[in-house]
Amino acid sequence: MSDKFDVIIVGAGPGGYVAAIRCAQLGLKTACIEKWVDDKKKPKYGGTCLNVGCIPSKALLDSSHKYVEAKNDFDVHGISVKDVKIDVSKMIDRKDGIVTQLTGGITGLFKANGVTGIQGCAQLQGGRKLEVTDIDGKVKIYEADNIILAAGSVPVEIPPAPLDDNIIVDSTGALEFREVPKRLGVIGAGVIGLELGSVWSRLGSEVVVIEALDSFLGMVDQQIAKDAKKILTKQGLDIRLGARLTNAKVVKKGKKSTVTVQYTDSEGDKEQVFDKLIVAVGRKPLSESLLSKDSGVNLDERGFIFVNDYCETDAPGVYAIGDLVRGPMLAHKASEEGVMVAERIVGKKTQMNYDCIPSVIYTHPEIASVGKTEEQLKADGDAYKTGVFPFAASGRAMAANDTAGMVKIIACAETDRILGCHIIGPSAADLVQQIVIAMEFGSSAEDIALTVFGHPTLSEAVHEAALAVEGHAIHIANRRKRK
Ligand code: FAD
Ligand code: AMP
């Protein structure tokens, strides 16, 4: 087979592998280059998401949630369970099994769709050429009419807390602990810090989360964030805001190592000792090593590959998607960009609606949102109205003994068009999707209010929040009363 392709994709994460499959479906001769290898030196697909991100973290979140339920929450149902124990190694092995199954599944999908998988680390040269170095150091040049860069991102490392891959770890290391650390420090109260902090806290770690900013979950609607902080603190996460890490030093005493962490808050300098420290201070695009000097592709001031609304870079025929480019670092955003680019290559006019990308924090309860927050609308000077419904008033949530949180819908004061939805509560990730679809179709809050919802469902809380926008909620006393 010649080495000339219609499209070559660099990176087989959710951006790259989805783009590759869609390109092949559209009849393009497609290859996907991936540097990650399995133990047989074959390319390992799935990227951050399947290997060390979304999927393994959710596997551990689900396992640890079941443990907490069995330990603390069954009693109320009249179920007594004695001596609930966790076999951490078995939990980690289960997670690894899911990863192997899903990454192997991509190999099968590539075969089924006729995508050529190539193992190697690619660097973009000028003239739509890629220099690819395989695991054995062999270098080969590939050419294509179109190139899609989907090399993703890596965790940010900070000088005060150098990783040692044992005591001080990043998110990848935090998915691999084979024992529950007694004292666990987490640097960064972002999505990843809270999810991984929750996993180990549920299994018994004393977790301290050190966050430089004074505000909690600044990107989340603050009514929801306030509730989240209360609930997570009650669950045992010791969240310290306005606390900036200044130093972390591993101290070895005989066979045991600990880490002494220093941080500064409004009261001055503080020190704390942990058995493990997770550094979760964000991720950065893997852009620099991907581009040769004459690639013709430019970066923005934050190191993301510069692209327009259609993910076209400054080099003709070269596209970039996913964590490499502006916008939220989310798997589904990467995948949809992959589909958009594949379809535009064959001349379709596909576009992405960047205003309708849901995002979720998989704590329990889950925190999910789409669209604008109240804070953003206030800052923009836009007039809006809100409707809120608490899960405490949902029969289905009560039946499940899972009543923390609320649904909040925000609509335009003038047109009633839905501008945002913010949920903290059971199955928030799935519930918010109803409003993502509604927003995609330009629905008003009244459209949702006039829709028939099954009973009893958690979705009824979405219905009631939409009714509450006009003060018509049935199962709570409305703050705003309108006829
Ligand atoms: P990646 O998934 O990073 O894939 C890039 C691929 O390119 C990798 O396989 C890499 O090996 C390969 N590559 C890099 N450079 C080269 C090169 N030069 N040559 C060849 N191959 C190369 N997002 C969500 O939406 N939901 C979640 O619940 C969620 N949870 C997360 C939990 C954790 C712990 C982490 C770390 C991330 C999570 N994310 C989540 C974020 C999500 O994983 C990323 O947004 C997503 O994987 C980005 O997809 P991508 O295709 O752009 O890049
Ligand atoms: P995210 O970008 O959502 O992954 O969140 C990362 C979090 O880490 C942000 O809220 C940052 O404010 C926080 N952070 C970054 N550097 C430090 C630091 N040195 N000490 C404490 N928190 C930090």
Side-chain angles (χ1 to χ4, degrees):
M1 189 184 280
S2 96
D3 292 332
K4 182 90 170 64
F5 290 90
D6 294 328
V7 190
I8 299 184
I9 294 119
V10 177
Y17 84 72
V18 170
I21 291 171
R22 188 70 191 117
C23 284
Q25 284 175 348
L26 290 163
L28 298 166
K29 186 178 171 195
T30 306
C32 185
I33 303 172
E34 171 56 56
K35 66 176 180 182
W36 222 318
V37 285
D38 63 15
D39 45 13
K40 294 188 189 92
K41 291 192 184 178
K42 290 259 187 289
K44 195 166 184 230
Y45 303 122
T48 303
C49 169
L50 263 55
N51 287 287
V52 292
C54 321
I55 298 298
S57 59
K58 266 80 260 179
L60 298 189
L61 280 156
D62 279 327
S63 295
S64 57
H65 181 60
K66 286 193 192 307
Y67 172 74
V68 165
E69 279 198 311
K71 206 158 170 251
N72 303 335
D73 302 337
F74 280 3
D75 186 54
V76 73
H77 297 277
I79 305 169
S80 50
V81 190
K82 285 213 177 77
D83 293 334
V84 179
K85 286 200 186 82
I86 178 82
D87 179 338
V88 177
S89 269
K90 196 165 172 182
M91 176 184 80
I92 298 290
D93 289 345
R94 184 191 87 98
K95 178 262 299 174
D96 291 343
I98 295 165
V99 169
T100 304
Q101 202 179 332
L102 286 173
T103 53
I106 309 286
T107 309
L109 288 172
F110 274 7
K111 268 199 197 118
N113 286 281
V115 174
T116 304
I118 297 169
Q119 194 287 314
C121 185
Q123 190 187 54
L124 180 71
Q125 315 294 310
R128 298 180 211 181
K129 285 195 177 68
L130 288 159
E131 184 186 281
V132 180
T133 311
D134 75 12
I135 185 82
D136 298 318
K138 259 204 304 222
V139 179
K140 199 166 168 182
I141 304 292
Y142 290 86
E143 276 182 73
D145 294 335
N146 301 279
I147 289 175
I148 306 175
L149 302 174
S153 63
V154 286
V156 168
E157 291 184 38
I158 47 173
L163 306 183
D164 74 345
D165 291 333
N166 177 25
I167 304 295
I168 306 179
V169 299
D170 58 14
S171 59
T172 303
L175 297 167
E176 295 299 333
F177 296 159
R178 292 272 163 176
E179 265 173 42
V180 179
K182 186 166 177 326
R183 298 161 301 178
L184 174 65
V186 179
I187 310 299
V191 177
I192 294 174
L194 292 177
E195 289 187 359
L196 295 174
S198 290
V199 166
W200 296 105
S201 157
R202 291 169 189 174
L203 300 180
S205 293
E206 293 157 19
V207 177
V208 177
V209 184
I210 293 171
E211 166 57 52
L213 298 176
D214 293 322
S215 62
F216 182 64
L217 290 177
M219 68 295 191
V220 171
D221 187 279
Q222 285 302 293
Q223 188 176 0
I224 304 290
K226 224 168 114 193
D227 222 24
K229 179 142 188 293
K230 229 189 293 165
I231 294 168
L232 295 176
T233 303
K234 202 167 154 211
Q235 287 174 5
L237 292 188
D238 179 350
I239 300 165
R240 301 186 188 168
L241 300 178
R244 177 166 286 279
L245 175 83
T246 52
N247 193 36
K249 193 164 181 268
V250 175
V251 180
K252 209 164 182 276
K253 234 191 220 163
K255 276 193 187 153
K256 174 138 177 72
S257 295
T258 56
V259 53
T260 304
V261 164
Q262 287 162 338
Y263 65 93
T264 312
D265 65 14
S266 57
E267 293 166 355
D269 295 338
K270 304 243 169 96
E271 193 171 284
Q272 184 128 7
V273 177
F274 299 108
D275 299 302
K276 298 268 186 199
L277 184 67
I278 303 173
V279 180
V281 294
R283 297 180 64 81
K284 61 175 184 194
L286 200 48
S287 50
E288 267 170 34
S289 55
L290 182 66
L291 308 171
S292 71
K293 274 202 304 294
D294 58 356
S295 71
V297 169
N298 293 305
L299 303 183
D300 68 16
E301 63 288 350
R302 294 165 60 216
F304 291 92
I305 289 182
F306 182 77
V307 288
N308 63 13
D309 287 351
Y310 309 119
C311 293
E312 293 164 337
T313 70
D314 290 336
V318 179
Y319 304 81
I321 60 173
D323 282 9
L324 269 183
V325 304
R326 82 283 175 268
M329 285 181 155
L330 293 169
H332 42 286
K333 176 259 192 186
S335 303
E336 289 311 312
E337 286 180 333
V339 170
M340 171 178 72
V341 168
E343 296 192 348
R344 293 186 77 86
I345 287 173
V346 298
K348 291 179 187 262
K349 299 284 175 232
T350 312
Q351 299 183 12
M352 275 273 293
N353 182 357
Y354 284 94
D355 293 334
C356 260
I357 300 175
S359 74
V360 181
I361 307 173
Y362 288 85
T363 45
H364 191 90
E366 293 172 350
I367 302 161
S369 61
V370 62
K372 297 268 167 95
T373 63
E374 263 200 77
E375 290 71 31
Q376 285 169 331
L377 290 165
K378 266 189 203 136
D380 294 347
D382 293 334
Y384 62 88
K385 47 193 179 173
T386 63
V388 173
F389 189 80
F391 284 103
S394 151
R396 188 72 189 90
M398 241 182 263
N401 192 38
D402 209 354
T403 54
M406 69 185 98
V407 178
K408 173 175 182 174
I409 290 179
I410 308 181
C412 173
E414 208 181 314
T415 64
D416 195 41
R417 192 182 173 126
I418 301 175
L419 302 174
C421 176
H422 309 280
I423 306 178
I424 177 166
S427 300
D430 292 290
L431 294 182
V432 84
Q433 195 60 38
Q434 304 176 9
I435 297 299
V436 179
I437 295 169
M439 284 175 71
E440 194 63 47
F441 284 83
S443 298
S444 62
E446 190 186 27
D447 288 328
I448 305 294
L450 291 173
T451 302
V452 180
F453 282 71
H455 175 76
T457 56
L458 293 171
S459 299
E460 286 171 301
V462 175
H463 187 212
E464 290 270 8
L467 285 163
V469 169
E470 287 301 332
H472 300 164
I474 302 295
H475 293 93
I476 44 161
N478 293 282
R479 264 189 302 156
R480 184 188 303 113
K481 290 204 168 49
R482 290 203 200 140
K483 291 246 164 85

